[in-house]
Amino acid sequence: MRMVRARLTCGGVGADAPAAGAGLIEDLLWAHAVPADGLEHLRVRSLPHGMDVVLFLGAPSDAAALLAAAGLLDRLRLPLARHGLSGVVV
């Protein structure tokens, strides 16, 4: 199992904390994950101006895990934007 961190951030500088809670983001991640992502577990923690996400992926290599995480975040781009968030693998 590989661990990949992602950061979800709010709009621009001085943006308020996200209206979406960690539970909603967890649900969105599970709903948009596909079997090829290898998502086994995840953690979402609220921060003052976004969220910290840790994805636990069943992947054969670090590179494969990073690719799977990036693909998942790409599929989440529009749903996250609806909640004023954008995501990036860190």
Side-chain angles (χ1 to χ4, degrees):
M1 184 179 334
R2 312 288 176 161
M3 182 179 81
V4 177
R5 267 187 81 207
R7 178 69 42 99
L8 306 182
T9 55
C10 296
V13 174
D16 293 331
L24 174 65
I25 299 305
E26 286 180 13
D27 290 346
L28 284 173
L29 284 160
W30 282 115
H32 288 83
V34 297
D37 294 331
L39 184 61
E40 296 180 8
H41 182 69
L42 62 95
R43 294 270 178 150
V44 178
R45 181 175 59 127
S46 293
L47 300 172
H49 300 291
M51 298 195 184
D52 189 45
V53 178
V54 180
L55 304 169
F56 297 89
L57 305 163
S61 67
D62 290 343
L66 289 169
L67 261 163
L72 177 54
L73 285 178
D74 189 51
R75 287 191 300 279
L76 275 175
R77 190 172 2 136
L78 290 176
L80 288 175
R82 289 184 188 116
H83 297 284
L85 295 166
S86 62
V88 63
V89 173
V90 291

